[in-house]
Amino acid sequence: MRTETSKILWASHLSAMSLSATSRRWCVHAPRTLRRSLATHATLRDKDCSSITPPYPLLLENLAVVRKHLHNRPLTLAEKILYSHLFDPEHGSGDIVRGETYLQLRPERVAMQDASAQMALLQFMSAGLGRTAVPSSIHCDHLIQAVTGAEADLQRAVVSNQEVFDFLESAGKKYGIEFWKPGSGIIHQIVLENYAAPGMLMLGTDSHTPNAGGLGMLAIGVGGADAVDAMTGTPWELKAPHIVGIHLTGQLNAWATPKDLILHLAGRLTVKGGTGRILEYFGPGVFSQSCTGLATVANMGAEVGATTSTFPYTPSMRAYLHATGRGPVAHAADSAASHGFLSADAEAEYDELIEINLSDIEPTINGPFTPDLATPLSKFGSFVQEQGWKDEISAGLIGSCTNSSYEDMTRVADLASQAKAAGLTSKIPFLCTPGSEQIRATMQRDKVTEILEGVGAVVLANACGPCIGQWKRDDHKDEENAILTSFNRNFKSRNDGNRLTMNFLASPTIVTAMAFFGKLSFNPMTDSIPLPSGKLFKFSPPSGQDLPSSGFDAGNASYYPSPVPEPQPDTEVVIRKDSQRLEILEPFSSPFSGENARSLELPALTVLMRVRGKCTTDHISAAGPWLKYKGHLTNISENLLITAVNDEGGEVNVAFDHDHDASQSDTDTIPGVAKRFKSRNQPWALVVDENYGEGSAREHAALQPRFYGCAMILARSFARIHETNLKKQGVLPLWFADKSDYGRIGSGDVVETIGLAELFSDKTEATVRVKVTKRNGETFEIPTKHTMSSDQLKWLRAGSALNHIRSTIN
């Protein structure tokens, strides 16, 4: 009875969201003064927040039920949010064990960026529903290339991607999904400004979705198939994460920023130190940070592999909600906080506790080629010299979803004003990416843009741009060079397609200050810049405002959607028959049907290759110019693993075909050999190294090998999102029990599962072994580990999670 009541209450909450659509409007005028935060500021008039206010009474009711099952033990904040969103709190809370128990959850919202939304929507369409089960949104931010500047770049992108934008807009109209037009801004900044709320659980089809954790919620990056779970009302599954408590004390010094905190922490945890874990910050140091500063910290939690990051509800969050027209959310959150919902219980236990004194944090620079190589600014010049790198910066880039807040931009403008007063302009190309139309318009109104352009900056479109490889860069092609950015990710080739470009990550203030000297060894905290007059100029520590005194300017309202639109079922979803950008997604077949003589074991699989070393989702499915094919699985699969290193020979994008016919060569590109296997109906497997699939929540990195016939991947270890994406698409991910077995399997070997049938028979204690038949006929077995739950086994048996969902709906 309790479960049915919860379902009715939740349905009523969603219904209220829908009913509010006719009255809710984005109000952008009539600011009024509110309480003081870090600055006196004005605020947008309150919106109708029915669709974005978490159902706190229901969540508290759910949590009370779970607490009884957990014997009223103290809970962390992350646990409170997760457990209050259990699909069935009465029967799904049992004895929850972190790192072991699979949770069936009910997210409240889904957000999709334009590149990943294509495949997510193609999958949702095939489920046969008329509307999404939860409020959802589409954000056009990935397909806008940075070339010359904001206006021209946006116009060019709209023309070149019109087919995709028409598809996304028509699908949004048909299914009642909010569509944020090109120019509106980056998904994560828009979510923070419009949708995020303390205590909410949200999914986003991008690895930096955790950005919204800056507002005290759990925002989790997923693949499109996971988003389809939420959009179809199917329970979304997550293994209960371990919780890392990060206790912050002290106060950041004048040059240090929240970006330096997360850069420092990335150096301590490494790129896989957060895998399977939520980072939960607490302590007095949290309360001295702005909401947008906390969002930067949460954003880059993705770089250590964390499931997500979160913070207790703070006065700065309350002030930010009011400033962005969400006063009703703030009032509701105040009430929920008074009941203890938006902070950890006293005596809550963490799986690991990290102490950080913010007073000890200094500006930090991370890189190159990995976001966890952290060097304090005071030691960076020596580090550059030791490595023998050329002491020069070829470009400085600030903004993006990580650091484009009003606070970031006003601090940067302060430094630019100091430099301009001394007669300085930027020594290098200096590019600025506003995070949203609201930020851009507010920057322009408050003369921030004018100040930046006055020292040589080029302001780009409100989009991802160079951060994700959408940067048409004509200089330094195929030559080693160093760029300094305030972005979040810096893998090889990511920004400009040049694998020799070294991207160093830093705060926007450090990037800006160093742009006026142009050398990596410059330390703006201690060093001076010679002026033509013979005098020396030294920067004073930057200052800025967390919120604009005159309130935010919403800018061009034509970019914005109608909130919570009603579905228009008669709308035709636009996909051209001859399209090279979009194609209807055909369901994958089950490997356990048809001609599989091994019944509930996978068929015999030929190993395509053994991948050496770091293999991120950028290696598996490159972005940049390939983004235009995100909705066309056949075309984008042509880039499968094209920058991966074959461990047998050490070459990039070379695979061996030991069974080729007389008309074919011994080797080909990796996608070339994969296509040969597909044409022979030969299912295959990959052998991969540590933390396979690190990086973006790029669903195509799982879809593409599946499309060509991959049925299993054996890894030393997997990154969390990618492992889940593989499961969703019907690929079995197995972990080597003995990591040294990685080197025992090579291309052309045949591998067979032993014990999978027992797992399908609900023998949860069963293990899966792999029989290896070498090309010379030698055979042996190796032990493996798996993380498959009972529901995930259903996906595997059906051929994909979508196949299983479709069968349950129909």
Side-chain angles (χ1 to χ4, degrees):
M1 186 67 187
R2 166 63 181 66
T3 301
E4 289 305 312
T5 302
S6 293
K7 289 179 179 177
I8 293 169
L9 287 170
W10 199 285
S12 299
H13 171 65
L14 296 180
S15 177
M17 291 182 183
S18 179
L19 290 172
S20 71
T22 56
S23 60
R24 182 174 170 225
R25 294 293 182 269
W26 297 100
C27 302
V28 297
H29 300 297
R32 58 188 175 84
T33 302
L34 266 180
R35 73 188 72 187
R36 186 177 181 84
S37 175
L38 299 182
T40 301
H41 61 276
T43 160
L44 299 177
R45 181 180 297 163
D46 282 343
K47 309 164 187 173
D48 181 334
C49 295
S50 303
S51 69
I52 58 175
T53 304
Y56 292 121
L58 176 60
L59 298 179
L60 285 164
E61 181 186 345
N62 290 346
L63 190 59
V65 173
V66 177
R67 282 188 185 278
K68 290 180 182 178
H69 287 284
L70 298 179
H71 312 294
N72 291 308
R73 69 168 173 82
L75 299 177
T76 68
L77 170 61
E79 287 181 302
K80 289 181 182 181
I81 299 175
L82 281 177
Y83 302 163
S84 65
H85 287 85
L86 283 170
F87 206 86
D88 183 354
E90 189 70 61
H91 301 98
S93 51
D95 290 324
I96 297 173
V97 179
R98 296 180 197 162
E100 295 183 17
T101 306
Y102 278 93
L103 306 176
Q104 302 284 315
L105 299 167
R106 192 192 299 266
E108 293 168 58
R109 177 170 289 277
V110 169
M112 299 168 280
Q113 40 94 335
D114 50 358
S116 56
Q118 297 171 58
M119 195 57 67
L121 289 170
L122 288 166
Q123 292 176 89
F124 175 76
M125 287 163 57
S126 69
L129 297 181
R131 69 185 307 155
T132 60
V134 298
S136 304
S137 56
I138 301 165
H139 305 265
C140 297
D141 60 358
H142 274 54
L143 299 179
I144 301 168
Q145 188 180 46
V147 184
T148 57
E151 186 174 350
D153 292 349
L154 180 58
Q155 291 177 355
R156 188 183 305 106
V158 169
V159 172
S160 61
N161 297 291
Q162 190 67 58
E163 180 183 356
V164 172
F165 294 148
D166 286 348
F167 162 70
L168 295 175
E169 187 169 21
S170 61
K173 189 175 181 180
K174 184 178 183 70
Y175 299 110
I177 302 171
E178 295 183 19
F179 177 73
W180 292 77
K181 294 180 180 179
S184 58
I186 305 173
I187 177 174
H188 310 305
Q189 184 68 24
I190 291 176
V191 166
L192 192 71
E193 292 174 352
N194 295 277
Y195 299 135
M200 178 184 282
L201 175 64
M202 187 193 88
L203 304 184
T205 60
D206 189 281
S207 59
H208 292 106
T209 298
N211 186 83
L215 256 170
M217 61 184 287
L218 294 184
I220 301 176
V222 298
D226 287 85
V228 171
D229 283 350
M231 290 193 292
T232 58
T234 303
W236 177 67
E237 187 171 79
L238 176 73
K239 181 181 284 188
H242 292 288
I243 315 292
V244 178
I246 302 174
H247 185 227
L248 301 182
T249 56
Q251 180 78 40
L252 291 169
N253 67 53
W255 276 95
T257 69
K259 179 65 166 279
D260 299 300
L261 164 61
I262 189 59
L263 291 173
H264 164 81
L265 187 62
R268 289 176 63 168
L269 288 177
T270 77
V271 291
K272 56 180 183 176
T275 303
R277 308 162 100 186
I278 290 176
L279 305 184
E280 180 175 315
Y281 297 78
F282 67 103
V286 171
F287 290 81
S288 62
Q289 309 304 313
S290 67
C291 175
T292 52
L294 297 180
T296 292
V297 176
N299 180 298
M300 276 199 66
E303 309 320 313
V304 299
T307 301
T308 193
S309 303
T310 195
F311 307 83
Y313 183 49
T314 69
S316 69
M317 295 180 191
R318 179 188 300 114
Y320 186 76
L321 286 168
H322 280 292
T324 51
R326 290 174 287 172
V329 177
H331 295 310
D334 289 343
S335 176
S338 71
H339 289 85
F341 181 57
L342 300 179
S343 60
D345 291 332
E347 308 302 322
E349 294 186 1
Y350 296 94
D351 296 286
E352 181 182 356
L353 183 62
I354 297 174
E355 296 279 355
I356 297 179
N357 184 342
L358 296 177
S359 304
D360 296 334
I361 299 292
E362 69 169 290
T364 302
I365 298 179
N366 287 30
F369 305 136
T370 185
D372 60 352
L373 180 56
T375 307
L377 179 61
S378 60
K379 299 178 180 178
F380 189 68
S382 299
F383 176 60
V384 170
Q385 188 175 19
E386 291 165 5
Q387 299 301 316
W389 293 323
K390 189 182 296 184
D391 186 13
E392 64 178 40
I393 306 169
S394 63
L397 302 97
I398 61 172
S400 83
C401 69
T402 324
N403 281 107
S404 59
S405 67
Y406 188 77
E407 180 180 30
D408 288 324
M409 293 302 152
T410 53
R411 284 171 61 88
V412 162
D414 180 67
L415 292 175
S417 295
Q418 293 181 42
K420 186 174 183 180
L424 296 173
T425 57
S426 176
K427 291 276 190 182
I428 57 175
F430 184 39
L431 309 178
C432 172
T433 306
S436 69
E437 170 62 7
Q438 180 169 282
I439 290 294
R440 183 213 62 79
T442 307
M443 285 173 59
Q444 183 170 333
R445 183 201 64 197
D446 294 347
K447 310 300 183 185
V448 172
T449 303
E450 181 180 313
I451 292 169
L452 293 178
E453 291 178 339
V455 295
V458 174
V459 177
L460 301 174
N462 315 320
C464 300
C467 184
I468 60 159
Q470 286 284 48
W471 182 16
K472 190 176 184 299
R473 189 183 188 195
D474 295 324
D475 61 335
H476 298 283
K477 289 185 176 180
D478 300 320
E479 43 179 87
E480 185 175 281
N481 70 104
I483 62 175
L484 204 60
T485 82
S486 69
F487 303 159
N488 46 34
R489 192 158 283 168
N490 59 351
F491 302 141
K492 286 184 180 181
S493 306
R494 180 173 177 87
N495 304 111
D496 59 4
N498 178 8
R499 61 193 312 270
L500 300 178
T501 295
M502 298 183 290
N503 177 358
F504 294 96
L505 307 173
S507 70
T509 47
I510 293 300
V511 175
T512 300
M514 293 178 72
F516 289 99
F517 197 70
K519 292 189 176 182
L520 292 168
S521 60
F522 179 65
N523 182 344
M525 295 177 63
T526 59
D527 298 344
S528 299
I529 301 175
L531 300 175
S533 65
K535 294 182 179 180
L536 294 175
F537 165 74
K538 183 180 177 183
F539 284 107
S540 297
S543 63
Q545 250 182 292
D546 66 322
L547 296 170
S549 301
S550 300
F552 285 108
D553 185 334
N556 186 346
S558 69
Y559 292 146
Y560 303 159
S562 299
V564 201
E566 280 296 310
Q568 298 185 31
D570 293 336
T571 302
E572 180 182 355
V573 177
V574 180
I575 301 178
R576 288 203 327 247
K577 290 183 179 180
D578 60 345
S579 175
Q580 293 300 303
R581 301 287 299 272
L582 297 158
E583 69 175 349
I584 297 296
L585 187 66
E586 296 295 331
F588 294 127
S589 61
S590 169
F592 305 100
S593 60
E595 299 179 1
N596 182 10
R598 303 192 71 233
S599 185
L600 292 181
E601 300 290 345
L602 285 174
L605 310 174
T606 300
V607 175
L608 188 144
M609 68 178 291
R610 187 171 68 233
V611 178
R612 177 188 296 178
K614 182 187 282 282
C615 191
T616 71
T617 48
D618 280 358
H619 293 87
I620 307 167
S621 176
W626 291 94
L627 286 173
K628 62 179 174 286
Y629 297 128
K630 284 287 188 178
H632 199 292
L633 185 55
T634 300
N635 284 348
I636 198 170
S637 294
E638 294 285 347
N639 78 5
L640 176 66
L641 290 161
I642 58 175
T643 58
V645 178
N646 192 326
D647 193 50
E648 299 175 88
E651 294 182 281
V652 174
N653 195 23
V654 173
F656 300 99
D657 182 3
H658 301 285
D659 299 315
H660 65 88
D661 60 32
S663 66
Q664 296 172 320
S665 58
D666 295 336
T667 63
D668 200 344
T669 64
I670 296 170
V673 173
K675 284 192 288 186
R676 292 185 191 184
F677 282 16
K678 182 176 183 178
S679 69
R680 300 172 197 156
N681 294 317
Q682 172 59 63
W684 49 274
L686 277 179
V687 175
V688 298
D689 216 324
E690 294 277 11
N691 207 30
Y692 180 72
E694 168 193 348
S696 300
R698 196 163 296 164
E699 184 172 36
H700 293 75
L703 279 163
Q704 290 169 216
R706 180 73 168 96
F707 174 71
Y708 280 142
C710 180
M712 181 174 72
I713 298 181
L714 280 160
R716 281 177 164 161
S717 64
F718 288 97
R720 176 193 65 84
I721 297 177
H722 186 62
E723 184 182 25
T724 301
N725 285 347
L726 290 170
K727 294 174 181 178
K728 287 282 185 180
Q729 302 306 334
V731 178
L732 175 64
L734 293 177
W735 302 55
F736 287 109
D738 181 348
K739 292 184 178 183
S740 65
D741 285 335
Y742 159 86
R744 300 178 67 191
I745 308 173
S747 62
D749 294 348
V750 174
V751 292
E752 300 169 89
T753 59
I754 301 173
L756 191 57
E758 292 184 66
L759 283 181
F760 282 129
S761 302
D762 291 328
K763 296 181 179 178
T764 55
E765 73 286 353
T767 59
V768 178
R769 303 183 309 284
V770 171
K771 178 184 176 183
V772 181
T773 302
K774 302 291 292 181
R775 291 174 54 229
N776 62 8
E778 174 193 358
T779 64
F780 56 88
E781 292 184 13
I782 61 171
T784 69
K785 298 180 292 183
H786 73 88
T787 60
M788 301 292 291
S789 69
S790 57
D791 281 316
Q792 291 166 355
L793 287 166
K794 293 175 184 176
W795 307 341
L796 181 65
R797 188 165 181 175
S800 72
L802 186 60
N803 288 351
H804 176 65
I805 290 173
R806 191 184 302 110
S807 68
T808 59
I809 291 176
N810 297 332

